[in-house]
């Protein structure tokens, strides 16, 4: 073994030794006998930790004040321990709400979860008084509806669970608790309805969540990126929602939910591409209106990905496709534009995206003003300066408006990104490039899966009966079965007759 091999061997050995030092060892969370000194050492330099001593009854309390509820603390801690003698403390701690702790790791985890640690003699107890301040239940800003319920999830998992329990009052609604994040130790709750959900999907989702090895996860939209079947795809493979009624309907449809503590976004699996084009609004109005609205969304999808690209393709390569009456107008409109249509289109699309991002980041009233005034002023100025044509402004504006028709913001963002690729293909290869781009999208979608199920269900595999609740919204009496993608052991959900 030469000198370089010995050096590499020594460095590799040190690297392996360092990698065996986990986060638990660094922060003294060894599983040993719990004690007050060991607990305080773990929380050294934590100024928000409260250590309260009651020397008259030989009791020490350790807790985080901002994680507890004042009423719960007064009921279970302050009042009982203020009215007890030192020889009665042991008898008091035998009540069911006080849990004896035998290892330090459980004790530290309990304090971090908002429990109060009670040290009495050689014994340590935990009592749950967790009730942190949380945001009030409000209307979802990203999934607004005109009719129907308006309550949405918040950042507190227990409150979110209560919102679901309020809508699904069944003992068959099961909840599994998992944990992700080596540092944050965030709780994840997996929900399903026993007898309706396919247990293979439940086990697969739980397995993927358990296999996540990361320091922190803060939102449900982050969680799905770690459990995606195809993490490099631009399309969302898991559905997320902030609406309680949408989450409850997905449970009843045989899907599985995942709630991350600290996030208002609830993950639903498995998901279909066409699921992102439906809205709770569809079910709160007459079926004919719901069908018309849903068809309009699919038309908007086609408009937003092809209209600007078609303009670039036609004005660059295929003038013969333009009607003679319109050809003169387009020619006159483009006569002062010094750029090829592809540069013209990309410039305006980028400007629209800048206005969209500026409107989203600014305060609501200012953002609306920027979006409206900016679009009108910049568009008119660009036409007068000869940077773009009137026809392109109409095409770009129509594509932007059509993208807002899609209910899911995540899917809408993915479609906007596709539009740029199609513009480039249309500007270089004409209609052939546009068709090639659309074909590539279809091929890509056909190969995607969500929780090992086809992403294009019910088109591929072909399930015509599911079309009644995908491309149209059939009357409720006709929606007799759950989606075939759920592979529910109990497909029948509606026993009503016409």
């Amino acid at each position: 073994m030469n000198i370089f091999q010995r050096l590499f061997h020594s460095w590799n050995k040190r690297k392996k030794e360092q990698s065996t030092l986990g986060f638990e060892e660094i922060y003294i969370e060894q599983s040993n006998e719990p004690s007050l000194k060991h607990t305080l050492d773990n929380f050294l330099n934590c100024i928000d930790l409260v250590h309260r001593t009651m020397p008259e009854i030989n009791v020490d309390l350790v807790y985080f004040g901002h994680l507890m509820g004042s009423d719960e603390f007064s009921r279970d801690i302050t009042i009982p321990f203020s009215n007890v003698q030192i020889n009665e403390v042991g008898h008091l701690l035998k009540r069911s709400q006080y849990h004896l702790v035998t290892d330090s790791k459980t004790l530290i985890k309990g304090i971090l979860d908002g429990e109060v640690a009670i040290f009495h003699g050689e014994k340590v107890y935990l009592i749950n008084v967790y009730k942190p301040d949380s945001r009030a239940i409000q209307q979802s800003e990203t999934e607004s509806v005109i009719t129907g319920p308006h309550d949405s999830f918040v950042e507190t998992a227990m409150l979110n669970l209560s919102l679901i329990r309020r809508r699904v009052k069944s003992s068959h609604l099961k909840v599994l608790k998992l944990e992700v994040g080596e540092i944050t130790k965030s709780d994840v709750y997996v929900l399903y309805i026993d007898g309706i959900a396919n247990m293979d999907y439940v086990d697969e989702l739980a397995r993927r969540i358990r296999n996540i090895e990361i320091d922190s996860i803060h939102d449900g939209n982050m969680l799905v990126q770690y459990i995606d079947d195809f993490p490099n795809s631009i399309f969302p493979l898991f559905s997320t929602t902030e609406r309680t009624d949408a989450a409850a309907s997905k449970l009843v449809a045989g899907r599985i939910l995942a709630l991350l503590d600290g996030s208002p976004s609830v993950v639903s699996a498995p998901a279909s591409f066409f699921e992102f084009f439906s809205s709770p609004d569809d079910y709160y109005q007459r079926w004919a209106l719901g069908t018309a609205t849903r068809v309009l969304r699919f038309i908007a999808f086609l408009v937003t990905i092809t209209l600007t690209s078609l303009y670039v393709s036609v004005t660059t390569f295929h003038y013969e496709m333009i009607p003679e009456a319109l050809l003169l107008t387009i020619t006159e409109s483009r006569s002062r534009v010094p750029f090829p249509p592809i540069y013209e289109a990309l410039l305006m699309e980028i400007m629209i995206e800048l206005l969209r991002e500026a409107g989203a980041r600014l305060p609501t009233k200012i953002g609306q003003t920027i979006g409206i005034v900016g679009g009108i002023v910049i568009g008119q100025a660009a036409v007068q300066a000869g940077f773009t044509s009137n026809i392109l402004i109409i095409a770009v504006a129509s594509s932007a408006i059509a993208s807002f028709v899609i209910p899911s913001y995540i899917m809408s963002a993915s479609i906007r990104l596709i539009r740029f690729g199609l513009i480039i293909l249309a500007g270089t290869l004409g209609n052939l490039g546009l068709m090639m781009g659309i074909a590539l999208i279809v091929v890509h979608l056909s190969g995607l899966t969500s929780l090992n199920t086809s992403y294009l269900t019910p088109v591929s595999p072909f399930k015509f009966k599911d079309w009644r609740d995908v491309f149209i919204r059939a009357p409720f009496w006709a929606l007799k079965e759950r989606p075939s993608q759920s592979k529910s052991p109990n497909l029948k959900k509606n026993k009503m007759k016409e």
Side-chain angles (χ1 to χ4, degrees):
M1 182 181 296
N2 58 35
I3 181 66
F4 296 105
Q5 290 175 326
R6 287 199 298 271
L7 286 173
F8 177 77
H9 179 74
S10 176
W11 175 83
N12 195 33
K13 182 178 180 181
R14 288 198 303 271
K15 200 71 176 174
K16 289 181 178 179
E17 291 174 352
Q18 292 174 3
S19 65
T20 58
L21 294 176
F23 183 82
E24 306 294 331
E25 296 178 347
I26 295 175
Y27 284 87
I28 346 174
E29 294 186 13
Q30 297 90 349
S31 183
N32 53 11
E33 291 295 326
S35 66
L36 179 62
K37 181 180 181 306
H38 181 268
T39 303
L40 296 178
D41 287 343
N42 267 272
F43 293 105
L44 189 65
N45 295 329
C46 295
I47 61 172
D48 55 341
L49 184 76
V50 179
H51 174 206
R52 182 175 173 182
T53 304
M54 298 180 176
E56 64 277 4
I57 57 175
N58 192 25
V59 168
D60 287 89
L61 305 176
V62 177
Y63 56 92
F64 286 103
H66 48 74
L67 294 180
M68 68 177 192
S70 56
D71 294 338
E72 289 77 4
F73 185 83
S74 176
R75 181 194 65 210
D76 294 327
I77 301 294
T78 304
I79 295 176
F81 285 95
S82 298
N83 301 318
V84 72
Q85 302 297 322
I86 188 171
N87 58 343
E88 299 173 340
V89 175
H91 180 71
L92 174 64
L93 291 173
K94 291 181 180 179
R95 294 181 180 178
S96 59
Q97 62 263 43
Y98 304 102
H99 305 285
L100 182 65
V101 180
T102 58
D103 68 279
S104 180
K105 188 174 180 180
T106 303
L107 175 62
I108 298 300
K109 182 67 168 59
I111 296 174
L112 291 171
D113 286 339
E115 299 183 80
V116 175
I118 305 171
F119 295 85
H120 176 63
E122 299 296 326
K123 295 184 178 181
V124 186
Y125 298 83
L126 285 174
I127 181 170
N128 190 0
V129 293
Y130 180 73
K131 192 178 180 181
D133 294 333
S134 61
R135 177 168 61 92
I137 299 173
Q138 298 173 338
Q139 179 176 340
S140 174
E141 295 184 2
T142 58
E143 299 176 78
S144 58
V145 296
I146 299 174
T147 58
H150 294 280
D151 56 327
S152 63
F153 293 113
V154 296
E155 287 76 15
T156 307
M158 287 300 164
L159 183 53
N160 292 341
L161 286 172
S162 70
L163 292 173
I164 293 178
R165 286 285 184 188
R166 186 187 304 174
R167 294 185 179 277
V168 185
K169 300 176 182 178
S170 171
S171 61
H172 294 283
L173 175 58
K174 308 300 180 182
V175 182
L176 305 178
K177 183 179 180 181
L178 306 174
E179 186 180 274
V180 295
E182 296 295 326
I183 295 178
T184 58
K185 299 187 185 327
S186 304
D187 292 327
V188 179
Y189 299 88
V190 177
L191 286 71
Y192 65 97
I193 298 181
D194 190 23
I196 293 180
N198 189 308
M199 291 307 298
D200 291 337
Y201 294 161
V202 176
D203 296 339
E204 176 64 17
L205 182 61
R207 183 191 66 80
R208 293 187 186 186
I209 295 175
R210 291 191 185 100
N211 288 341
I212 296 175
E213 296 183 2
I214 193 68
D215 285 346
S216 63
I217 290 181
H218 307 293
D219 187 75
N221 291 295
M222 289 180 63
L223 177 67
V224 298
Q225 297 179 56
Y226 289 100
I227 59 177
D228 267 350
D229 296 37
F230 296 87
N232 295 324
S233 175
I234 64 172
F235 292 98
L237 301 181
F238 287 86
S239 174
T240 57
T241 182
E242 294 183 6
R243 295 185 54 84
T244 57
D245 56 335
S249 65
K250 291 179 186 299
L251 279 173
V252 176
R255 292 184 168 90
I256 303 102
L257 301 184
L259 281 71
L260 178 68
D261 192 20
S263 170
S265 298
V266 174
V267 180
S268 169
S272 167
F273 172 77
F274 305 102
E275 182 182 342
F276 295 92
F277 293 86
S278 65
S279 169
D281 257 343
D282 300 342
Y283 302 95
Y284 300 140
Q285 53 190 349
R286 308 294 292 181
W287 72 269
L289 297 176
T291 298
T293 306
R294 191 169 291 184
V295 171
L296 183 64
R297 294 193 193 108
F298 287 106
I299 295 175
F301 167 68
L302 296 176
V303 168
T304 192
I305 67 171
T306 61
L307 185 58
T308 307
S309 306
L310 189 61
Y311 168 86
V312 172
S313 172
V314 169
T315 55
T316 305
F317 297 100
H318 309 287
Y319 274 102
E320 68 278 2
M321 294 179 61
I322 305 175
E324 185 177 350
L326 185 60
L327 182 59
L328 183 61
T329 303
I330 294 178
T331 304
E332 182 181 353
S333 177
R334 284 199 41 80
S335 61
R336 297 179 61 244
V337 180
F339 308 115
I342 182 174
Y343 297 145
E344 179 190 5
L346 289 175
L347 175 65
M348 295 312 301
E349 287 286 356
I350 292 173
M351 188 58 62
I352 286 290
E353 293 302 320
L354 290 176
L355 287 172
R356 192 198 307 263
E357 282 300 306
R361 299 293 175 261
L362 290 172
T364 305
K365 294 181 180 179
I366 301 177
Q368 292 176 351
T369 304
I370 289 292
I372 297 172
V373 176
I376 295 174
V377 172
I378 293 176
Q380 186 65 27
V383 172
Q384 292 180 353
F387 281 100
T388 184
S389 64
N390 289 319
I391 305 297
L392 178 64
I393 292 291
I394 296 173
V396 171
S398 300
S399 297
I401 293 172
S403 69
F404 290 122
V405 177
I406 300 171
S408 172
Y409 175 79
I410 300 177
M411 178 59 74
S412 176
S414 301
I415 291 171
R416 296 203 311 266
L417 185 59
I418 290 172
R419 196 161 62 225
F420 284 93
L422 291 179
I423 290 173
I424 295 173
L425 286 172
T428 54
L429 299 174
N431 285 346
L432 175 62
L434 181 58
M435 293 300 103
M436 287 175 58
I438 295 175
L440 287 174
I441 294 171
V442 173
V443 170
H444 176 67
L445 289 172
S446 301
L448 295 178
T449 59
S450 175
L451 213 63
N452 299 328
T453 65
S454 174
Y455 191 55
L456 284 185
T457 305
V459 174
S460 174
F462 187 80
K463 302 288 183 181
F464 184 72
K465 63 180 180 180
D466 287 350
W467 288 29
R468 290 174 292 185
D469 197 20
V470 173
F471 298 105
I472 64 172
R473 206 284 275 173
F476 285 123
W477 58 262
L479 303 177
K480 297 183 180 298
E481 295 184 354
R482 308 181 208 280
S484 59
Q485 186 183 23
S486 65
K487 295 184 179 179
S488 172
N490 180 13
L491 284 176
K492 184 71 68 174
K493 71 171 183 179
N494 187 353
K495 301 178 178 62
M496 293 182 60
K497 296 183 180 179
E498 184 177 353

